[in-house]
Amino acid sequence: MSLDINFDLTSLHRMYADGEVTPEQMALEALRRAEDGRYPNVWITKISQEKLLELVRALPAKPTAELPLYGVPFAIKDNIDLAGIKTTVGCPDFVFLPKESATVIQRLIAAGALPIGKTNLDQFATGLVGVRSPFGVCQSVFNPRYISGGSSSGSSVAVASGMVTFALGTDTAGSGRVPAAFNNIVGHKPTRGLLSNRGVFPACRSLDCVSIFAGSCHDAQAVLEAAAAFDAADPYSRPRTETGFGDTFKFGILPAAQREFFGDAEAAALYEQAIARLRDCGGEPVEFDYTPFAQVAALLYAGPWVAERRWAVGEFFAKHAESMHPVVREIIGGAVKYDAVAAFDAQYKLQALAQATREVWKNLDVLLLPTTGTTYRIEELLAEPIKLNSNLGYYTNFMNLLDLAGVAVPAGFRAGNGLPFGITLVGPTFSDDALLALGARYHQALGGTIGNTKIPVVSQPFPVKKKGDVLLAVVGAHLRGQPLNHQLTSRKARFVKQANTSPHYRLYALANTQPPKPGLKRVAEKLSHGIEIEIWSLDHAAFGSFVAEIPLPLGIGTLELEDGGSVKGFLCEPIGLDGARDITEFGGWRAFRQSLTK
C-alpha cells in the first residue's frame, strides 16, 4: 500500500515532527517507489530492505538538530561507493565491492539520510546523454522518447519522479546540470574540492566533483551543508570559504550573436524570459563576450584531458576494451593522440583563456546561461552520439576547467513538445551559497512543481551571507533561544548555519556572570570533538556596534572550524577562566544547560 508522502525536505521534516509518518514507513515507501515501472532503467542496485531498516533503527525516535537530514531518502550515482553495495561505473565487467563508503556518503548517513540504492549512468561517467549504459537507457520523466541527460541520468530521474528527496551525481563536463535541466529539477555543481572525492571513481580526477540533485535550492543547500567538509585524505579537497553578492547584482547575458540554440526557437525564447525574470529578482543584465568561455569548453574533449579518462580505467582498457560501450571506448581510446607536450600546450592555452575570462568577473557577479541550447530524442542521439553530445556541452564544459561554481535551475517549458528548459547561474570559486540563494529566488519566482511530481515550488527562507558582511560564530548566550540572542536579531543579523569548531577548543562555564555565559579557549591538544556553534552574518556597522558591547573577559578572535575553514567568533581571556567549570564533555552550551535542568 502506497503512502501519500511528499519527499521534499520541508514536507518530510513537518511530517516527522508532527508524527504523521515514521522513518520506517517512509523507507519502505521509498523502496516501493524505486520499483515504479513508469520510469525504467533508473536503478542498478537497490539496498536491501533489511539493511535499510537497520539504518532506520539507528535513528532516534524524533528529529534532532544534529540530524538535519533525518530520515531523508537519497540515491547515489553508481560511480560513488556505498559500503557493501557493488560499484559498477556502468560497466558489468568492471564491478567491485567497496568495504567503505565514500566520504560524502558517510557524512550524509551521519546526518540522518537513508540511501535507497545506486543509479544508472553513462558508462564511466562519459557523456551528457544517459544512453551509454548496458543497464538500459534512462528517459525524460516528461516524454519517454527523449533523453534524460547524463552522465548522472538515473540520479536525476530518481529525484524528478519523486522516488527520493535528493541524489548525488558527479559533474566533470556538465553531468550535474544537463540532467537537471531535462527533468525540471535543481542541479548544483559545487566548487571543486568542496565535497570530498574520496570513494568516487574518477572520470577526470583533476576536474571531477560530486554534484547534488534536488527539487529546490533550499534542499540542495541543506545537502551541501551536511556533505561539505575538508578531507585530508583527498588531495583535491579544499577548506570552505565564502564569496558572494548582495540583493542587487549584475548578471552576464549572451549577446544575440553568440547565442546558440541549435535551431530550438522555443529554448531561445525561454532564455529571454529567464533574463527578464532574473532582472525582476534585482539583477542588472550586462552583455559579456562568451568567446573565451566557448574556447575553454572546446578544450575539454579536444585536448589531453581525455587522457585522464584513460588513466582512470587503467589496465582494464588494455585488456577488456571490448567490454565497454562502443562510444565510450572510442572517446577514451582517443587518449593515444596526446603526449606530455600536448598536455603542456593545452595547459598554456587554458591559462591564457582563463586570464581573458577573469576580465568578465571585474564587472559581473554571476552569469546567466542556458544549461543546454536544446534537447534530443533518444533515436537522434543514437544516430549521432558524439556530435549531439558535444552540442549539449556547449554551455557546460568550461566550468571545471575554469574552477567555477554553478546551479542549474528550471526555467519553464516548451509549448511544442512539453519539455522543460533550464538555465544555469555561474559564479566564481566558492560562490556556492550565493548562487543557491539567488537560484532559490529565481525558482520561487518561476513557481510550478518539482520535476514531474505534484509537489509545488514554495517560497522558503534562505539565509545566506551577503557580499561585504562579516560572519560571526556564537557559542553561548547569543545562540538562538538564549537570553542575548536579541543583540543579534535587533541588528538584523541573519542566521547562516549550525557548525562545530575544530577539536582544539575547550568550553568553560564562567563564574559569576549574568546571564550565564561560557568561555571558549583554544588548546594545543586534539580533543575527541569540537564545540557546537552558530554562525551569523552581520553588515560591518552592525558587527562593529555588536563588538563594542562585549564585556570582559570575552572578546572576538578567529575560530578554526571542523571543516578546515575559519570565522570570527567569541574567545575568552585566560583570567576569565578562574573558577570556571570545564564543560567540554557536553559538546556545547545548549547540552550543558539542558543537563542542569535534568
Side-chain angles (χ1 to χ4, degrees):
M1 177 180 176
S2 63
L3 295 177
D4 186 17
I5 304 173
N6 286 346
F7 276 176
D8 63 294
L9 202 56
T10 300
S11 296
L12 279 180
H13 280 171
R14 179 188 59 77
M15 295 181 79
Y16 283 143
D18 295 344
E20 295 179 23
V21 68
T22 66
E24 180 173 326
Q25 290 172 322
M26 185 284 312
L28 295 176
E29 172 64 13
L31 284 179
R32 189 199 67 78
R33 293 185 188 186
E35 300 294 336
D36 192 332
R38 293 175 299 167
Y39 304 102
N41 308 320
V42 172
W43 302 93
I44 292 179
T45 309
K46 291 183 284 292
I47 194 170
S48 69
Q49 180 174 310
E50 179 184 7
K51 178 61 177 176
L52 182 59
L53 293 181
E54 181 183 322
L55 292 172
V56 168
R57 286 190 287 271
L59 296 174
K62 287 285 187 179
T64 67
E66 291 74 30
L67 297 172
L69 300 178
Y70 176 90
V72 174
F74 75 104
I76 305 165
K77 185 177 180 178
D78 200 16
N79 60 343
I80 304 173
D81 290 345
L82 175 62
I85 303 292
K86 63 182 180 181
T87 299
T88 73
V89 203
C91 183
D93 291 340
F94 195 78
V95 174
F96 61 91
L97 188 68
K99 295 180 180 179
E100 183 180 59
S101 294
T103 299
V104 67
I105 302 299
Q106 293 179 32
R107 290 189 60 82
L108 291 170
I109 292 175
L114 300 173
I116 302 303
K118 307 291 286 297
T119 56
N120 204 352
L121 69 158
D122 279 323
Q123 190 178 77
F124 291 109
T126 301
L128 295 173
V129 290
V131 303
R132 301 172 181 173
S133 171
F135 296 99
V137 173
C138 285
Q139 305 158 347
S140 161
V141 295
F142 294 96
N143 188 327
R145 295 180 60 200
Y146 282 81
I147 61 173
S148 63
S151 60
S152 310
S153 51
S155 290
S156 64
V157 173
V159 173
S161 61
M163 295 180 187
V164 293
T165 305
F166 72 92
L168 296 186
T170 56
D171 191 316
T172 304
S175 298
R177 292 159 279 156
V178 172
F182 289 173
N183 292 284
N184 193 44
I185 57 174
V186 168
H188 176 213
K189 189 216 79 66
T191 296
R192 288 191 287 109
L194 194 55
L195 301 184
S196 172
N197 279 333
R198 185 161 63 96
V200 179
F201 189 84
C204 292
R205 191 179 180 196
S206 66
L207 301 179
D208 293 340
C209 64
V210 175
S211 61
I212 299 168
F213 293 104
S216 68
C217 291
H218 177 274
D219 287 10
Q221 177 75 29
V223 176
L224 178 67
E225 291 299 328
F230 176 73
D231 181 3
D234 172 12
Y236 287 95
S237 182
R238 292 188 281 185
R240 189 173 182 177
T241 325
E242 293 188 41
T243 63
F245 41 87
D247 292 333
T248 57
F249 54 92
K250 290 183 178 181
F251 65 96
I253 63 171
L254 296 166
Q258 295 184 344
R259 298 179 187 181
E260 178 58 82
F261 292 96
F262 307 98
D264 191 337
E266 288 196 84
L270 287 166
Y271 180 62
E272 283 287 0
Q273 294 175 26
I275 293 171
R277 189 174 296 114
L278 197 60
R279 184 192 294 115
D280 292 341
C281 289
E284 176 189 344
V286 179
E287 290 188 351
F288 75 101
D289 183 10
Y290 186 63
T291 303
F293 294 90
Q295 290 172 339
V296 170
L299 283 176
L300 186 62
Y301 282 98
W305 285 274
V306 174
E308 273 202 282
R309 294 184 182 270
R310 173 64 181 82
W311 173 88
V313 296
E315 290 303 308
F316 182 84
F317 186 85
K319 296 179 180 179
H320 305 286
E322 70 283 353
S323 298
M324 299 172 66
H325 188 283
V327 177
V328 175
R329 182 171 63 240
E330 179 182 349
I331 292 169
I332 294 179
V336 297
K337 297 184 293 186
Y338 303 103
D339 57 13
V341 174
F344 280 109
D345 181 61
Q347 288 287 352
Y348 301 149
K349 290 177 181 176
L350 174 60
Q351 190 63 27
L353 290 168
Q355 192 82 299
T357 65
R358 291 187 191 107
E359 293 299 311
V360 169
W361 296 110
K362 292 179 180 179
N363 190 43
L364 296 174
D365 298 299
V366 62
L367 306 182
L368 171 63
L369 297 176
T371 300
T372 68
T374 189
T375 186
Y376 296 108
R377 292 188 297 275
I378 292 171
E379 62 186 80
E380 292 177 299
L381 244 305
L382 294 175
E384 291 189 272
I386 293 180
K387 177 185 176 182
L388 300 191
N389 186 97
S390 179
N391 291 351
L392 296 179
Y394 184 77
Y395 295 115
T396 64
N397 286 353
F398 67 86
M399 284 185 58
N400 280 337
L401 286 169
L402 294 177
D403 199 11
L404 303 175
V407 176
V409 186
F413 289 82
R414 299 167 176 85
N417 56 22
L419 295 175
F421 173 75
I423 54 96
T424 297
L425 302 172
V426 182
T429 313
F430 294 117
S431 61
D432 301 80
D433 291 341
L435 290 173
L436 284 164
L438 180 57
R441 289 162 60 190
Y442 179 94
H443 197 191
Q444 291 163 13
L446 175 72
T449 58
I450 293 171
N452 194 23
T453 72
K454 296 180 180 178
I455 305 172
V457 176
V458 298
S459 179
Q460 296 168 303
F462 202 98
V464 69
K465 177 181 181 289
K466 294 183 179 180
K467 188 175 184 179
D469 281 5
V470 179
L471 291 179
L472 173 70
V474 297
V475 71
H478 290 95
L479 296 168
R480 289 174 296 172
Q482 298 298 311
L484 297 183
N485 183 250
H486 67 90
Q487 293 183 354
L488 291 170
T489 57
S490 64
R491 291 174 168 85
K492 297 183 178 180
R494 293 170 298 281
F495 172 74
V496 175
K497 64 180 178 180
Q498 186 172 303
N500 288 294
T501 69
S502 74
H504 288 284
Y505 292 88
R506 288 193 172 277
L507 188 67
Y508 296 83
L510 302 182
N512 304 317
T513 58
Q514 288 298 327
K517 301 181 186 71
L520 197 62
K521 177 186 177 183
R522 182 176 175 85
V523 295
E525 62 185 306
K526 184 177 182 180
L527 307 175
S528 60
H529 57 78
I531 302 298
E532 180 190 27
I533 59 174
E534 286 181 356
I535 298 179
W536 291 70
S537 178
L538 304 88
D539 64 39
H540 279 90
F543 178 74
S545 66
F546 177 83
V547 172
E549 291 186 4
I550 297 173
L552 292 172
L554 301 176
I556 298 296
T558 300
L559 304 187
E560 181 183 81
L561 301 182
E562 181 182 52
D563 64 7
S566 62
V567 67
K568 297 300 178 186
F570 278 89
L571 290 170
C572 185
E573 294 185 12
I575 194 172
L577 301 178
D578 291 346
R581 174 185 172 184
D582 189 335
I583 58 171
T584 306
E585 64 182 293
F586 294 94
W589 183 245
R590 280 199 187 94
F592 167 68
R593 297 296 294 174
Q594 288 169 1
S595 74
L596 298 181
T597 61
K598 293 177 183 177

